[in-house]
Amino acid sequence: MTQTHTDYRLSQLDQLEAESIHIFREVAAEFEKPVLMFSGGKDSIVMMRLAEKAFYPAKIPFPVLQVDTGYDFPEVLSTRDNWVNRLGVRLIVASVEDAIRDGIVIDDGKTSRNRLQIGTLLNALEEGGFTAAFGGGRRDEEKARAKERVYSHRDEFGQWDPKMQRPELWSLYNGRLHEGEHMRIFPISNWTELDIWDYIGREGIEIPTIYFSHQRRVFKRDGMLLSESEHNPLRSGETVEERTIRFRTVGDLTLTGCVESTASTIDEIIDEVAVARVTERGATRGDDRFSEAAMEDRKKEGYF
Amino acid sequence: MATVKSEQMDLLRFATAGSVDDGKSTLIGRLLLDSKSIFEDQLEAVEATSQSKGYDYTDLALLTDGLRSEREQGITIDVAYRYFATPTRKFIIADTPGHVQYTRNMVTGASTADLGLVLVDARQGLTEQSRRHAVILSLLRVPHLVLAVNKMDLVNFSEEVYEKIHAEFAAFATKLNIPDLEVIPISALQGDNVVNRSENMPWYSGPTLMHHLEHVHVASDRDLVDVRFPVQYVVRPKSDEHHDYRGYGGMVAGGVLKPGDEVVVLPSGMTSKIAAIDLFDREITEAFPPMSVTVRLEDDVDVSRGDMIARVRNAPKPSQDIDAMICWMTNEPLRPRQKLAIKHTTRSARALVKDIQYRLDVNTLHRDQETKELGVNEIGRVQLRTTVPLLCDPYSKNRTTGSFILIDEATGVTVGAGMINSGS
């Protein structure tokens, strides 16, 4: 048996873990059809780990949903498959390509894949009849997220109404829904970027290799370093060069920037994050830069 | 930002209250800035906005104004959560707006807080609003309270002004349940006594705000005596490998659980012994609040979600008649004979409002016994009858087993927050 702390102290990371496990169990107990939205990024991997712990030694009692933009990093997809296979959970892939083909979303050539994910995701949730969808959003990420509840109510259109949020008290979550509505659940709301890394380090769990320093052919666009890719044709004046980089976030590779870094272990990443002077989204997410209220607007429409 | 790993840090959750004019957003901005928790891109965005608004200073309040409608109206409409860390502690701030109509947000923010931070403007002194905030923090049993007397720079850092407010507040606080009070003179705008000790107030020998937040002792605020384990989820793998495994998942709400302990399962009253306590794939020797664990019992007793595991000679009394303080949170008033859904620990039931005994005036502490209903943002003492017994304790003993929420069955919205005085 493992001795716990004799002074009954629980480190903040253990407290965060306990809170997240509590949320997973609460949702599994109260909702008919939950699903976990899994991108293969570090936040959703931490979610998977917490779900694994919440129900152990039983399997995670709900499937995993990934929205495939068609522009995902292959390293991320392979990590996704390893996780899904190890835990024996069912994977549902909602493809943006398919959604475009089926006319669920419209690719006008101007809208980013990130934005097209919204319609694809909502359609997948509706088709699966899911009443609760776990997301890896953190409140430290962005101003609109800072105001979102752990249980975030969505109407029949999948929309978030920040002014109509239900008060959330103690650890008593209200999961009541009407027909056609669903709940987004954010079990790692209170985690910061540093907590995520500390936890990944402590747990020794697999994350996509692109988080670690590697050589990559990149080019500069709008102040960000983007990966060379057939999906991302160069514009005039842009030149490709090889640099030593890593990714701080993973998403649609046409929009996700990398940073120059030699951090090749979790500890080195933690040191880097601890002294970082720019937020992860500000540094590397083209999707959040369009306007000061970019996230707020997308969330209202039904974004993750 | 800390170089110590968050693994060794502990956690303090605090709620802030005050209006825009008290400089609350500026103070939070200051805490984030001085603890180096603000990133360059955030600061640049705020500097640009300040400039475009024609300010000649960086408006730190802009750091915390989240939604567009708030920025447009220059107000805070909802509870926002902020995070910062020092080498020894991580902090979660529940930032709540101070306006009269937002009592419900303040109650929400205070419900999980270890500490409440109330701001007053040194020029104004105590206002009705600051008293109301202190009353709510006391009702929610937030164990530590800090009164930050802000804008000391605008009263020439006067000791007299500080002492007057301190004395007035201390007198008011004697009527409340505030086990720990600290009154700190600060200037959020200039940073005096926020993180760095002020050279302008040599007469003040107490801690700076940050020092106090870092050192206030919260570990003993938990109840480590009375075992309370609400069963949240029954773990049954039904796999070949774990064929006979049956565990009860939940978060410890009180006391210390150990393998071998004799326990009682409520409401059935069946007794058994704890066979093992699992934390993921490890068996542990003790579980205490707020750990999420899985408890296995020696006997095959019938246990399901909503039940509570406690000690044989120390268990809550199952009660259907609940006497509680309720904060009402919706426009349609609470009235006698009303039926609502109630959620208490992991147990859901229905509740009938039997009587509204009084409405508490949170400004004067006057009890209005003539009242027939509770309006939005009002707090009162209410008698409920529930369809099934609740396994509850007084809120003053345990904030988890003593609290509940009320839900409107038609809209599904959370309409009330309850703190139990007693069950019978």
Side-chain angles (χ1 to χ4, degrees), chain A residues 1-30 49 52-59 61 139-141 143-144 146-149 151 160 162-178 181 189-195 198-199 202-203 248 267 270-271 273-283 291-294 296-297 300, chain B residues 1-2 5-11 13 36 38-42 49 62-71 73 76-83 90 92 104-105 107-108 111-112 140 219 222 224 232-233 235-237 242 245 249-251 256 258-259 279-294 305 329 341 343-346 348 395 399-400 403-405 407 409-414 416-419:
Chain A
M1 277 192 276
T2 309
Q3 187 74 36
T4 45
H5 325 240
T6 48
D7 56 352
Y8 304 115
R9 281 168 80 99
L10 212 52
S11 75
Q12 71 102 4
L13 208 52
D14 285 330
Q15 289 193 46
L16 292 176
E17 181 189 64
E19 177 183 77
S20 302
I21 288 174
H22 175 79
I23 294 163
F24 272 110
R25 287 172 169 169
E26 200 62 13
V27 171
E30 288 202 319
R49 178 62 165 182
E52 179 187 5
K53 289 193 173 192
F55 305 105
Y56 187 89
K59 281 185 182 174
R139 287 176 181 146
D140 77 323
E141 275 180 275
K143 291 205 270 188
K147 305 225 158 170
E148 189 160 12
R149 303 285 187 260
Y151 274 37
W160 179 56
K163 286 190 180 171
M164 290 296 287
Q165 296 200 93
R166 296 172 179 177
E168 208 158 75
L169 299 115
W170 298 289
S171 49
L172 292 169
Y173 301 101
N174 172 2
R176 296 255 172 162
L177 293 174
H178 290 111
E181 299 173 343
S189 286
N190 286 325
W191 297 54
T192 62
E193 187 185 10
L194 201 54
D195 298 328
D198 277 339
Y199 195 69
R202 173 177 112 173
E203 300 289 312
R248 272 178 84 181
D267 280 343
I270 290 170
D271 288 344
V273 171
V275 297
R277 301 307 309 141
V278 180
T279 59
E280 53 182 337
R281 286 194 168 265
S291 81
E292 213 188 338
E296 184 178 346
D297 292 343
K300 284 180 184 166
Chain B
M1 209 32 105
K5 284 197 184 182
S6 61
E7 176 128 11
Q8 287 114 44
M9 291 155 58
D10 71 356
L11 181 64
R13 295 175 196 252
K36 303 190 172 47
I38 293 195
F39 295 101
E40 274 169 18
D41 53 331
Q42 293 173 312
T49 309
L62 293 169
L63 278 167
T64 59
D65 295 341
L67 305 172
R68 180 185 301 158
S69 42
E70 296 171 295
R71 287 194 292 276
Q73 296 165 41
T76 320
I77 57 167
D78 210 331
V79 187
Y81 295 87
R82 319 273 167 211
Y83 303 83
K90 171 174 164 173
I92 301 178
R104 70 169 219 177
N105 287 331
V107 169
T108 302
S111 71
T112 52
L140 271 288
R222 292 165 302 171
L224 292 171
Q232 191 186 9
Y233 188 86
V235 181
R236 295 199 64 184
H242 303 281
Y245 188 98
M251 188 180 249
V256 179
K258 297 186 181 97
L279 186 65
F280 185 39
D281 55 0
R282 294 181 294 144
E283 283 188 18
I284 56 172
T285 55
E286 288 173 310
F288 50 88
M291 291 172 82
S292 276
V293 296
T294 305
R305 175 177 164 85
M329 302 179 150
K343 189 172 178 187
H344 169 261
T345 65
T346 56
S348 291
Y395 186 75
R399 287 170 84 188
T400 306
S403 56
F404 60 82
I405 55 170
I407 299 163
E409 292 182 304
T411 62
V413 171
T414 306
M419 290 146 283

Side-chain angles (χ1 to χ4, degrees), chain B residues 101 121 233 271 334 387 420:
Chain B
Q101 64 269 40
D121 183 331
Y233 188 86
T271 57
L334 175 78
T387 48
I420 296 167

